[in-house]
Amino acid sequence: MKVCAVIPVYNHGEAVGAVVHAVRAHGLPCVLVDDGSEPSCAAVLDGLARDDSGGVEVVRLPRNEGKGGAMMAGLRAARARGYSHALQIDADGQHDARDIPRFLALAQQHPDTMVCGTPVYDESVPKGRLYGRYATHVWVWINTLSFAIRDSMCGFRVYPLAPTVALIDSVRIGKRMDFDVEVLVRLFWRGMRILNQPTHVRYPTDGISHFDVLWDNVRISGMHARLFFGMLARLPLLLWRKVAR
């Protein structure tokens, strides 16, 4: 198993350095995807790559494509460089890098499985975001006919790259905050097993959130509708899987 970290970055210049150092402390190379950041943040990323030659690489997108667009670019880059797995972690410091060994241990034991973070929140979580997640949880359980995915919105996870890149190269997936949910449901539909790893989450160290309450919720609602009709088309297969298990 050959693992790197893929970190999507959009104007998190104040926080990303600490995240990179925490990830590198666990021995993981980092692919930083600059999602059309401002020059000041781009300079921070270039500095991180320069200071850790060979351990940190920057993939630069010419314009902002959204978290999903950045992740897809990073996953493709990781696959092209010969990595078998990629750990996704956010650039704003909300994820606890001390849990990385737990994620990697599960991935090592189950290399064909997606390891997903299940957030354990502190008091910093915005209540609107927290309650809104439950609507998505319910839709994901409906669209998979399963409770296997405990939290589909947590961006702290380990992807097996071969099936994931095959999916994103063959299916149109949302490029913004809808990505984390949609890629997980579609991988589940393709038969990928999901393991859930509890992890502490806090909001965010630099005070910047790129979640657009209106438009990202509109996108997520549309995604749930698309996935629901996709579930209906796959209903016999999903029911057969439940019976076969």
Side-chain angles (χ1 to χ4, degrees):
M1 200 170 85
K2 186 179 180 184
V3 190
C4 70
V6 173
I7 307 176
V9 186
Y10 180 54
N11 293 335
H12 283 296
E14 296 292 328
V16 68
V19 174
V20 169
H21 293 317
V23 172
R24 292 290 292 132
H26 295 288
L28 291 184
C30 293
V31 176
L32 307 179
V33 185
D34 179 359
D35 189 22
S37 296
E38 295 173 355
S40 59
C41 180
V44 170
L45 302 185
D46 290 338
L48 290 168
R50 184 171 56 251
D51 294 342
D52 189 355
S53 180
V56 176
E57 176 185 357
V58 178
V59 173
R60 183 151 280 132
L61 302 181
R63 59 183 179 278
N64 178 257
E65 294 194 15
K67 181 182 182 182
M71 274 307 304
M72 286 189 275
L75 293 171
R76 289 183 175 114
R79 176 68 173 158
R81 286 151 181 76
Y83 292 102
S84 63
H85 292 72
L87 178 128
Q88 174 183 344
I89 188 169
D90 282 358
D92 60 7
Q94 67 173 280
H95 298 139
D96 191 345
R98 293 173 296 182
D99 287 335
I100 287 175
R102 297 184 177 93
F103 281 78
L104 297 184
L106 278 177
Q108 185 75 49
Q109 295 165 19
H110 308 279
D112 297 326
T113 297
M114 168 79 84
V115 181
C116 291
T118 302
V120 178
Y121 291 109
D122 63 14
E123 65 280 358
S124 68
V125 61
K127 293 300 185 288
R129 295 280 297 275
L130 180 62
Y131 301 146
R133 296 175 80 93
Y134 286 100
T136 282
H137 296 343
V138 171
W139 273 112
V140 167
W141 297 335
I142 290 170
N143 289 333
T144 59
L145 301 185
S146 170
F147 295 109
I149 300 171
R150 302 279 178 82
D151 189 298
S152 60
M153 300 184 77
C154 183
F156 194 8
R157 52 180 65 169
V158 180
Y159 293 91
L161 282 171
T164 302
V165 172
L167 171 71
I168 64 178
D169 282 346
S170 62
V171 176
R172 183 179 178 182
I173 295 179
K175 286 189 171 185
R176 296 200 174 266
M177 294 298 185
D178 45 356
F179 170 81
D180 284 339
V181 179
E182 186 169 5
V183 72
L184 199 51
V185 170
R186 290 187 178 278
L187 285 169
F188 180 88
W189 284 350
R190 291 191 172 198
M192 183 171 288
R193 186 182 171 205
I194 309 296
L195 291 176
N196 300 282
Q197 171 61 50
T199 184
H200 287 91
V201 175
R202 62 184 184 275
Y203 275 77
T205 60
D206 62 0
I208 298 173
S209 172
H210 296 303
F211 188 89
D212 185 312
V213 174
L214 174 61
W215 290 111
D216 279 322
N217 278 318
V218 168
R219 292 185 188 98
I220 288 170
S221 296
M223 172 204 64
H224 288 314
R226 292 193 307 275
L227 291 177
F228 177 73
F229 289 107
M231 178 275 291
L232 292 179
R234 294 167 175 82
L235 187 59
L237 175 60
L238 295 173
L239 290 173
W240 170 249
R241 276 192 204 159
K242 293 178 72 68
V243 172
R245 288 177 183 174

